[in-house]
Amino acid sequence: MPIEIVCKIKFAEEDAKPKEKEAGDEQSLLGAARGAAAPRDLATFASTSTLHGLGRACGPGPHGLRRTLWALALLTSLAAFLYQAAGLARGYLTRPHLVAMDPAAPAPVAGFPAVTLCNINRFRHSALSDADIFHLANLTGLPPKDRDGHRAAGLRYPEPDMVDILNRTGHQLADMLKSCNFSGHHCSASNFSVVYTRYGKCYTFNADPQSSLPSRAGGMGSGLEIMLDIQQEEYLPIWRETNETSFEAGIRVQIHSQEEPPYIHQLGFGVSPGFQTFVSCQEQRLTYLPQPWGNCRAESGLREPELQGYSAYSVSACRLRCEKEAVLQRCHCRMVHMPGNETICPPNIYIECADHTLDSLGGGTEGPCFCPTPCNLTRYGKEISMVRIPNRGSARYLARKYNRNETYIRENFLVLDVFFEALTSEAMEQRAAYGLSALLGDLGGQMGLFIGASILTLLEILDYIYEVSWDRLKRVWRRPKTPLRTSTGGISTLGLQELKEQSPCPSRGCAEGGGASGLLPNHHHPPGPRGGLFEDFAC
């Protein structure tokens, strides 16, 4: 005979509320049992990602040869992209640069450069006194004797003044300058400024940066044209050789900007007597890059002179400062052409200090004196040509005009003509050959070519990694207990383990009735709420 069991379930009073609240309570109960929503798995993420090939390699579906081939293609493309990206990064980190040369627009008025000239002979023989010869013996090589040929060992001379000696014994421009014209206008020695260099007393035309002379046209006749007498009869006789002994005859010339001091013993060029020398100039404006592309010296925003004795920074000023520091360290004095207020070296150690200056200075970025190139620089390119003077017809005329013979004219006279080739300037600029925008563009092209990715694709991957990582961290921090009793819809279930725990006779030693009553809840409880989910359960 079949047995039919009828179960009657009576819910508590709280369950008699509206269905909307019941559904909400059920969802909250399920949410409390499950915890937070689980993150997407890899297959789900791969099927929705914008990364090309990831959905076919890792998406949902059976694993097979086709998926394996897609995975190999994806890994190969990713490896090719990483290789190309590494090459692009290495190229960017080398900071390559290029030089762009652009002709500037012609200007109606161009500033004429400064022109410094020095006679190669430092001291005029006729201007040297016995005391000068005595003090300058190590510098000139002349024996320390008086005019009568007697040695001056027993004589006592006052302490020498090197500035006074250079002023008195140097070649005077008023005596050397025979004619001067600038842009068709007459000029004289008063248009030149005295400056001291390694060649002694020198002269600079158009030296004031505040009142620079303009050049209104290009070509010969529109610049500076001077005729000089180098006065070879005043050159010192050579008794013995020193490091300052000169065998040449002529002048040294340097063409530079007004903000740059003359560094004529290294940057000047020679002009020989008996020739007319044409110097065609071209202004060049150079722009260099600072670190990390180049090594130029970026100017400070304060616009204050950072080199003592100079109004602006230049390589020549920096080299002169380094020479001064080397001389001060060795000789505790400075040379005449060096800026500062320190004591000027006496003539007896002058040549020793000069030699030490040249030996102690180094070059490049590792030397004791590193002078970086300024980021903005103006220099003048030169093209030099010359012709013989005087010709046969003019030699006799010049000899009569200056009361000299023709041989003297040929051996001492020279003409220097400095002019602009054209009133245009060349702009040479260093530019970064591979910048950050180019790097990002190339990386984006490689990403699109190999893996079809973009910045948003990378954000998708990072978001997925964050989602998975955060879910695992939350699982580690709080481990929720697994509920034994759940409710789905209107069906209530009771776990077997809980039934055993509620049984009054968990062992087999109980009576049949007790065992039967332990398997199912007792339905003979008095009526009334029990505070649980179920109020009464009867079979």
Side-chain angles (χ1 to χ4, degrees), residues 347-364:
N348 57 337
I349 64 171
Y350 209 82
I351 189 171
E352 178 184 354
C353 297
D355 294 342
H356 177 70
T357 299
L358 297 178
D359 295 337
S360 60
L361 295 180

Side-chain angles (χ1 to χ4, degrees), residues 129-414:
S129 63
D130 294 340
D132 297 333
I133 295 176
F134 175 78
H135 292 305
L136 299 176
N138 293 334
L139 189 61
T140 61
L142 297 178
K145 297 180 180 181
D146 58 14
R147 296 291 180 178
D148 298 330
H150 303 290
R151 292 187 178 276
L155 300 177
R156 293 294 181 264
Y157 297 105
E159 290 296 326
D161 185 356
M162 198 63 186
V163 177
D164 177 68
I165 293 176
L166 291 176
N167 280 327
R168 288 187 297 103
T169 63
H171 289 266
Q172 306 302 315
L173 184 62
D175 300 331
M176 291 192 300
L177 189 63
K178 299 304 179 181
S179 66
C180 177
N181 287 281
F182 177 75
S183 295
H185 300 282
H186 177 73
C187 56
S188 62
S190 60
N191 299 108
F192 291 78
S193 303
V194 176
V195 62
Y196 295 101
T197 68
R198 288 289 295 271
Y199 287 100
K201 189 177 184 180
C202 302
Y203 305 92
T204 301
F205 177 80
N206 194 27
D208 189 3
Q210 304 299 328
S211 59
S212 177
L213 297 176
S215 181
R216 302 182 181 276
M220 291 188 299
S222 59
L224 177 65
E225 183 178 355
I226 57 176
M227 177 181 288
L228 295 175
D229 179 7
I230 66 171
Q231 301 174 331
Q232 283 202 57
E233 77 280 2
E234 294 286 359
Y235 278 37
L236 294 178
I238 298 178
W239 287 77
R240 63 182 178 88
E241 294 184 24
T242 66
N243 290 342
E244 300 295 324
T245 301
S246 177
F247 297 96
E248 301 88 6
I251 62 172
R252 294 279 293 183
V253 181
Q254 181 183 353
I255 301 173
H256 56 93
S257 64
Q258 284 79 11
E259 292 79 11
E260 180 182 359
Y263 205 59
I264 198 168
H265 62 284
Q266 289 192 3
L267 303 180
F269 60 94
V271 178
S272 174
F275 291 91
Q276 180 173 359
T277 304
F278 302 95
V279 183
S280 175
C281 299
Q282 179 72 42
E283 185 183 49
Q284 297 175 347
R285 299 176 183 178
L286 309 179
T287 302
Y288 297 99
L289 289 174
Q291 292 287 350
W293 293 275
N295 294 318
C296 78
R297 177 185 180 275
E299 297 181 358
S300 62
L302 300 178
R303 293 186 178 180
E304 296 180 356
E306 300 184 10
L307 296 178
Q308 183 181 3
Y310 300 102
S311 59
Y313 175 85
S314 63
V315 176
S316 300
C318 179
R319 295 286 295 180
L320 289 172
R321 183 202 61 181
C322 292
E323 291 181 3
K324 172 189 170 182
E325 293 177 354
V327 171
L328 283 176
Q329 184 179 3
R330 174 66 179 270
C331 304
H332 307 287
C333 58
R334 68 178 178 89
M335 304 174 75
V336 176
H337 65 278
M338 298 176 180
N341 300 321
E342 292 81 6
T343 305
I344 297 177
C345 297
N348 57 337
I349 64 171
Y350 209 82
I351 189 171
E352 178 184 354
C353 297
D355 294 342
H356 177 70
T357 299
L358 297 178
D359 295 337
S360 60
L361 295 180
T365 59
E366 303 296 334
C369 178
F370 171 57
C371 295
T373 304
C375 294
N376 295 287
L377 175 65
T378 300
R379 73 178 184 184
Y380 299 91
K382 300 177 291 294
E383 292 183 3
I384 302 176
S385 59
M386 58 186 64
V387 294
R388 292 268 317 175
I389 62 164
N391 56 35
R392 292 181 180 181
S394 62
R396 187 176 302 176
Y397 167 77
L398 293 175
R400 291 197 310 267
K401 179 178 179 179
Y402 296 107
N403 196 20
R404 298 288 185 176
N405 56 51
E406 297 182 13
T407 302
Y408 182 90
I409 297 297
R410 292 188 178 94
E411 291 180 353
N412 293 275
F413 276 53
L414 61 87

Side-chain angles (χ1 to χ4, degrees), residues 28 39 58 64 89 92 123 195 272 349-350 357 432 456 477 499 508:
S28 63
C58 303
Y92 174 76
F123 307 102
V195 62
S272 174
I349 64 171
Y350 209 82
T357 299
L456 297 181
W477 288 343
L499 291 176
R508 292 186 179 182

